Amino acid sequence: MKKTTICAVALAAATFTSAAHAGSLADPVIEAPAVVADAQSSSSGTALVAMLAVLLAIPALGD
């Protein structure tokens, strides 16, 4: 009986202390959403593809 009483008191204390820390009266801090700007380019990437083709062709032409 003594063990049951001690367990009940410990359980009640654990429940009471966890409920006391569940929240506060302070306003929640909400971060502003990040604004991601899309990079816009007038090029369709043709120059990049051409440079890559030249770089890949250099070893083949060097033989």
Side-chain angles (χ1 to χ4, degrees), residues 24-52:
S24 67
L25 297 176
D27 292 333
V29 177
I30 301 173
E31 294 182 17
V35 177
V36 178
D38 291 333
Q40 296 183 0
S41 174
S42 60
S43 172
S44 63
T46 307
L48 182 64
V49 172
M51 288 188 337
L52 181 62

